[in-house]
Amino acid sequence: MKFKSLAFRLLATSAGWVLLVLPIAGFIIYQLYRDDLQTAFDARLEKLVNSIAIDSMGSGGQPIAPKNRYEPLFEDPRSGWYWQIKPLDPTGGPPLRSVSLGDAAIDLPIERKVKADEDGARWMNAVGPAHEGIRMVEVIDGPDPLGKGPRYSVIVAGPIDWLDSRLANFMTRLSIALFLTGVGLVAVTLFQVRFGLLPLRRIEQGLAEVRSGRATKLEGALPAEIEPLQQELNALIESNQEIIDRARTQVGNLAHALKTPLAVITNEAREDKGPFGTKIAEQAAIMRDQVTHYLDRARVAAQVGVIGRATPVHEVLEPLARALERIHRERNISVSIECPPGVRFAGERQDLEEILGNVSDNACKWAKSRVSVKVTPGPARTGRARLSIFIDDDGPGLSADQRARIGKRGVRLDESKPGSGLGLSIVTDLVQSYLGSLQLARSPLGGLQVEITLPAA
């Protein structure tokens, strides 16, 4: 998944939203649970203190030890659960304590000036006799309905650890649940992104099929949102083909329109046996070559980059090799081919035939007995696949200076071989029209090596 892709953006947005929302939701849930647990804990303490206050008042206003039927941990020393009854007036009886409290005493909230709530209870957090954190509630009992008798402080305390441990357990379970929820949401989002963008992948594959020449338009059913894109792309492909066809027709018409007057001029010039006629015929032949050359360049320029044009290289090389061996059979020239079966040239077949035909025929003219043609997939450049064609011969080869001069238009290093000198120039123009390259080097066979780089389909 690429950093700038739509899939990454959608997934990153969703993951960021999940990472933002889930912690906030977890914090809110934790706070609500903490408040509910605190309320339930306080309600339990308040119920215990009220029950002990009622059951501990005996006859004559003197408190008695209540029956410990409210909380079994009141009987467990230093359990954190305590109750205490202590007189606030000098005339009161002795203080009473739970077994769990032992000989220790709990500080009274009323003595610490803790304000009572609307029910008359005072709440305070303190440190217990075992140095543990406790939360206590205090109510004041007495005097009797006649206003006589001492007052007593009735306290019930419970361990804060009890509250904290349950909150910690809940927080652990909540964190695990939210983590699994987040992972699940991200996984579902990834699936949705992959599934939702799948039609775009089909369009990508379809365009690759069209560009490689294996299809003429985008096929297949697509979602309603993407179907207009498919229709517009198909219309663009058809319009591109129509433009190419019209350009090819115009080039052909221009070629026919020029060839006839040139033929007339050439024939008339040949009737004149003098120097003037010879000069006119010579210049007319040059004009004919130049017109053919530039018309071919215009045709190639109109076809370069056309969607859907692809030529299997092996299908061009095989008949070319057989034809060259027949042409040069008197010299026993052998043409070997090494080409992977799936390599395709992104262009017109006749252009590839002209490129390979000119270079291979030149190699056969200079070779002693052997010409080798090797095709290999080359490194991609500017996002397009490339192919490299190496044409080697075992002839005399060229020096570095000669290799630098031979690419110039019309330059010929040896007049002993037939040709106008424009072959390599035409090949160079064709290769450059396809944004390729042509390089000359020393061949491993001893002669000249021509390396041609072209776009691959």
Side-chain angles (χ1 to χ4, degrees):
M1 185 180 297
K2 297 181 179 179
F3 179 75
K4 295 184 179 180
S5 65
L6 287 177
F8 178 81
R9 292 182 180 182
L10 293 174
L11 183 61
T13 302
S14 177
W17 177 250
V18 169
L19 292 176
L20 176 65
V21 170
L22 287 185
I24 294 176
F27 177 77
I28 294 175
I29 294 173
Y30 175 79
Q31 291 296 325
L32 292 175
Y33 180 77
R34 183 180 181 279
D35 292 342
D36 289 343
L37 193 61
Q38 183 73 60
T39 301
F41 187 65
D42 290 349
R44 183 181 181 186
L45 292 177
E46 189 171 16
K47 179 180 179 181
L48 289 172
V49 75
N50 289 331
S51 299
I52 290 176
I54 293 173
D55 292 347
S56 63
M57 291 298 103
S59 60
Q62 295 294 326
I64 60 175
K67 296 180 180 179
N68 292 315
R69 62 180 182 272
Y70 313 108
E71 175 57 63
L73 291 176
F74 285 148
E75 301 294 324
D76 189 3
R78 303 296 190 266
S79 64
W81 287 93
Y82 311 113
W83 62 262
Q84 174 183 280
I85 302 175
K86 185 176 182 180
L88 298 177
D89 301 323
T91 59
L96 301 176
R97 303 179 182 88
S98 64
V99 175
S100 59
L101 191 56
D103 296 335
I106 300 176
D107 294 336
L108 304 183
I110 192 173
E111 293 178 351
R112 294 195 176 188
K113 308 301 182 183
V114 177
K115 294 182 179 180
D117 62 13
E118 58 184 10
D119 295 328
R122 290 177 174 84
W123 299 89
M124 187 177 73
N125 292 343
V127 178
H131 304 288
E132 78 277 34
I134 59 174
R135 179 169 176 79
M136 68 180 71
V137 59
E138 177 191 53
V139 296
I140 305 303
D141 192 9
D144 59 20
L146 299 178
K148 298 179 181 181
R151 296 179 306 157
Y152 291 89
S153 166
V154 182
I155 295 176
V156 170
I160 296 178
D161 289 346
W162 180 90
L163 184 66
D164 293 340
S165 62
R166 281 157 178 76
L167 285 174
N169 291 335
F170 175 76
M171 188 63 183
T172 300
R173 295 194 298 270
L174 179 63
S175 300
I176 294 174
L178 291 179
F179 174 77
L180 295 177
T181 301
V183 172
L185 288 175
V186 172
V188 170
T189 302
L190 179 60
F191 171 77
Q192 288 178 336
V193 169
R194 292 291 189 184
F195 182 75
L197 297 181
L198 189 60
L200 295 181
R201 180 62 61 84
R202 297 214 307 265
I203 285 184
E204 178 187 359
Q205 295 172 350
L207 288 176
E209 293 288 324
V210 172
R211 185 170 61 85
S212 64
R214 290 187 289 268
T216 58
K217 63 180 181 178
L218 294 176
E219 302 286 354
L222 294 173
E225 294 81 3
I226 303 181
E227 188 175 358
L229 175 62
Q230 180 188 29
Q231 296 173 353
E232 292 298 326
L233 287 174
N234 284 333
L236 179 62
I237 294 172
E238 293 177 1
S239 176
N240 185 56
Q241 182 60 47
E242 291 175 358
I243 292 174
I244 297 304
D245 291 340
R246 287 198 299 269
R248 182 179 297 169
T249 301
Q250 294 297 328
V251 169
N253 292 339
L254 180 59
H256 286 293
L258 292 175
K259 284 181 179 179
T260 300
L262 283 175
V264 172
I265 293 174
T266 302
N267 291 334
E268 292 295 328
R270 288 173 179 173
E271 295 294 330
D272 187 349
K273 303 301 182 179
F276 180 76
T278 302
K279 191 66 174 179
I280 293 297
E282 177 186 344
Q283 295 300 315
I286 295 175
M287 290 174 61
R288 182 179 62 253
D289 292 339
Q290 295 294 330
V291 167
T292 301
H293 171 64
Y294 283 103
L295 286 177
D296 287 341
R297 287 194 61 180
R299 174 182 58 80
V300 173
Q303 294 171 356
V304 170
V306 176
I307 298 175
R309 299 299 171 89
T311 302
V313 179
H314 196 273
E315 294 182 4
V316 173
L317 285 176
E318 276 196 346
L320 177 63
R322 291 195 297 268
L324 290 174
E325 287 179 345
R326 286 197 299 270
I327 293 173
H328 301 278
R329 61 178 177 272
E330 295 180 356
R331 297 173 50 230
N332 292 324
I333 300 296
S334 171
V335 180
S336 63
I337 298 174
E338 184 178 346
C339 177
V343 177
R344 298 159 66 91
F345 163 62
E348 290 286 340
R349 182 187 185 97
Q350 61 193 45
D351 294 332
L352 182 62
E353 289 175 345
E354 185 166 359
I355 293 171
L356 297 180
N358 273 285
V359 179
S360 300
D361 182 59
N362 185 73
C364 290
K365 290 177 180 178
W366 293 96
K368 296 177 181 178
S369 61
R370 182 183 175 191
V371 173
S372 171
V373 181
K374 181 180 180 181
V375 182
T376 60
R381 190 180 68 181
T382 65
R384 293 290 302 273
R386 317 292 291 180
L387 61 89
S388 297
I389 304 174
F390 298 90
I391 301 176
D392 298 85
D393 65 72
D394 60 352
L398 297 174
S399 65
D401 179 65
Q402 290 173 325
R403 291 197 296 268
R405 293 173 53 203
I406 197 171
K408 297 180 181 180
R409 183 177 310 281
V411 172
R412 299 188 61 197
L413 299 179
D414 191 345
E415 299 292 338
S416 63
K417 304 294 181 183
S420 64
L422 294 177
L424 187 58
S425 177
I426 294 174
V427 169
T428 302
D429 288 337
L430 282 173
V431 171
Q432 291 177 351
S433 298
Y434 281 99
L435 302 180
S437 63
L438 185 148
Q439 296 180 349
L440 305 178
R442 186 72 178 176
S443 172
L445 301 180
L448 179 67
Q449 180 184 79
V450 181
E451 179 184 357
I452 302 172
T453 304
L454 294 171

